[in-house]
């Protein structure tokens, strides 16, 4: 018997309890099960998750690094909120990063020996978004929307770009969920992405850059305007309540 052969077997990845707790909390925040702005306590969350307060504290610190939680001195932990300014910062930053990624991917599709494989990856990822839109499941749509954009960034093969994008990825997932919720028809989400995919598959660098920037700016403006209206309405309620109490 040959005992020296090497086989293609995936390695087992051990994950600490702290990492698993962070995963559960992250998904709950991104999915909306834990609402934006919610105040969290180590005691309550540790009881719900079934781990120690120390484990939850470590998980909380990880989510602070990802921008999903805010640690308020002497108060505790609060889930991030998405203000109009937050949305503006995210979409303008996304526009820059994703436009560069689109240019690089389009260039690879013209010259890379793996261009056929890259094209298949893009097409299959876009198909996943189409299927999600056909099902009409908002949570699934937001997940596949994010997956498509993350795939484009990953296919750029630009290490530092990928690293920078990963730093805001979880905040972007919340942004996408909020933005997609404002789209009246799921088919419109497909139409938003078609110019990007078409330009990439043609290897049209300038077209891909324009399409990526236009998508981010158009949908970003809509979300920012929506959040501004909500903030004005909230300020009006607070002002009216204050006047009534005087």
């Amino acid at each position: 018997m040959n005992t020296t052969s090497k086989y293609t077997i995936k390695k087992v990845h051990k994950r600490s309890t702290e990492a698993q707790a962070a995963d559960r909390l992250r998904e709950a925040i991104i999915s909306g099960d834990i609402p934006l702005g919610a105040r969290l306590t180590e005691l309550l969350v540790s009881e719900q998750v079934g781990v120690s307060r120390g484990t939850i504290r470590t998980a909380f610190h990880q989510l602070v690094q990802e921008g999903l939680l805010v640690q308020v001195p002497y108060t505790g932990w609060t889930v991030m909120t998405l203000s109009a300014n937050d949305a503006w910062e995210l979409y303008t930053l996304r526009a820059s990063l994703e436009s560069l990624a689109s240019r690089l991917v389009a260039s690879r599709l013209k010259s890379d020996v793996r261009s056929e494989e890259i094209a298949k990856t893009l097409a299959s990822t876009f198909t996943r978004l189409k299927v999600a839109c056909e099902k009409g499941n908002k949570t699934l749509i937001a997940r596949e929307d994010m997956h498509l954009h993350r795939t484009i960034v990953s296919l750029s093969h630009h290490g530092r770009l990928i690293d920078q994008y990963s730093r805001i990825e979880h905040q972007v997932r919340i942004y996408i969920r909020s933005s997609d919720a404002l789209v009246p028809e799921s088919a419109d989400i497909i139409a938003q992405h078609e110019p990007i995919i078409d330009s990439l598959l043609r290897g049209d660098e300038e077209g891909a850059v324009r399409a990526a920037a236009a998508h981010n700016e158009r949908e970003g403006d809509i979300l920012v305007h929506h959040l501004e209206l909500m903030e004005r309405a909230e300020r009006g309620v607070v002002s009216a309540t204050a006047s009534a109490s005087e």
Side-chain angles (χ1 to χ4, degrees):
M1 176 185 285
N2 185 352
T3 60
T4 61
S5 299
K6 290 187 177 180
Y7 302 96
T8 304
I9 305 174
K10 291 184 178 180
K11 292 183 178 180
V12 174
H13 296 285
K14 295 182 179 179
R15 292 182 61 74
S16 66
T17 305
E18 290 83 359
Q20 294 181 61
D23 289 345
R24 303 292 187 275
L25 289 168
R26 183 186 302 110
E27 284 305 315
I29 293 170
I30 291 171
S31 68
D33 290 337
I34 299 177
L36 300 182
R39 184 173 180 274
L40 304 180
T41 66
E42 295 170 9
L43 178 60
L44 179 60
V45 174
S46 67
E47 290 176 348
Q48 288 186 310
V49 178
V51 296
S52 70
R53 290 181 62 179
T55 296
I56 291 300
R57 189 179 306 117
T58 301
F60 279 2
H61 280 295
Q62 174 60 38
L63 297 185
V64 167
Q65 294 299 314
E66 296 174 9
L68 295 179
L69 284 185
V70 177
Q71 186 174 15
V72 183
Y74 311 109
T75 300
W77 312 82
T78 303
V79 179
M80 66 166 280
T81 56
L82 188 65
S83 66
N85 187 67
D86 292 329
W88 176 81
E89 288 189 356
L90 284 170
Y91 95 70
T92 51
L93 181 54
R94 277 188 70 200
S96 296
L97 297 176
E98 292 181 8
S99 293
L100 173 56
S102 295
R103 181 189 296 279
L104 295 172
V105 174
S107 176
R108 290 191 68 204
L109 279 163
K110 287 192 301 183
S111 59
D112 198 299
V113 294
R114 298 173 58 196
S115 59
E116 185 175 341
E117 180 183 339
I118 297 169
K120 286 181 179 179
T121 299
L122 281 173
S124 64
T125 306
F126 190 34
T127 296
R128 286 176 51 169
L129 176 59
K130 290 179 180 178
V131 171
C133 289
E134 289 169 0
K135 292 181 178 179
N137 183 311
K138 292 289 187 181
T139 300
L140 183 59
I141 291 171
R143 183 182 304 136
E144 295 303 332
D145 192 339
M146 182 69 228
H147 180 60
L148 176 60
H149 288 282
R150 188 195 306 115
T151 297
I152 293 171
V153 172
S154 296
L155 289 173
S156 72
H157 278 200
H158 189 306
R160 287 178 173 79
L161 169 60
I162 294 169
D163 177 64
Q164 290 302 312
Y165 197 80
S166 70
R167 293 170 187 264
I168 61 167
E169 179 179 333
H170 301 303
Q171 296 175 63
V172 169
R173 288 179 66 185
I174 290 176
Y175 168 98
I176 286 177
R177 189 192 80 206
S178 302
S179 178
D180 285 354
L182 300 178
V183 180
E185 299 292 336
S186 298
D188 294 337
I189 295 177
I190 298 174
Q192 292 171 8
H193 295 84
E194 281 178 336
I196 302 173
I197 301 301
D198 289 345
S199 295
L200 289 173
L201 293 177
R202 291 197 310 270
D204 179 359
E205 294 181 40
E206 295 305 320
V209 169
R210 287 194 300 270
H215 168 60
N216 275 294
E217 291 168 6
R218 181 175 58 251
E219 302 312 314
D221 283 340
I222 291 172
L223 179 57
V224 167
H225 179 64
H226 172 75
L227 292 172
E228 285 176 341
L229 291 177
M230 290 181 63
E231 289 168 5
R232 288 172 192 164
E234 186 176 336
R235 286 195 297 269
V237 170
V238 171
S239 178
T241 302
S243 298
S245 63
E246 292 178 354

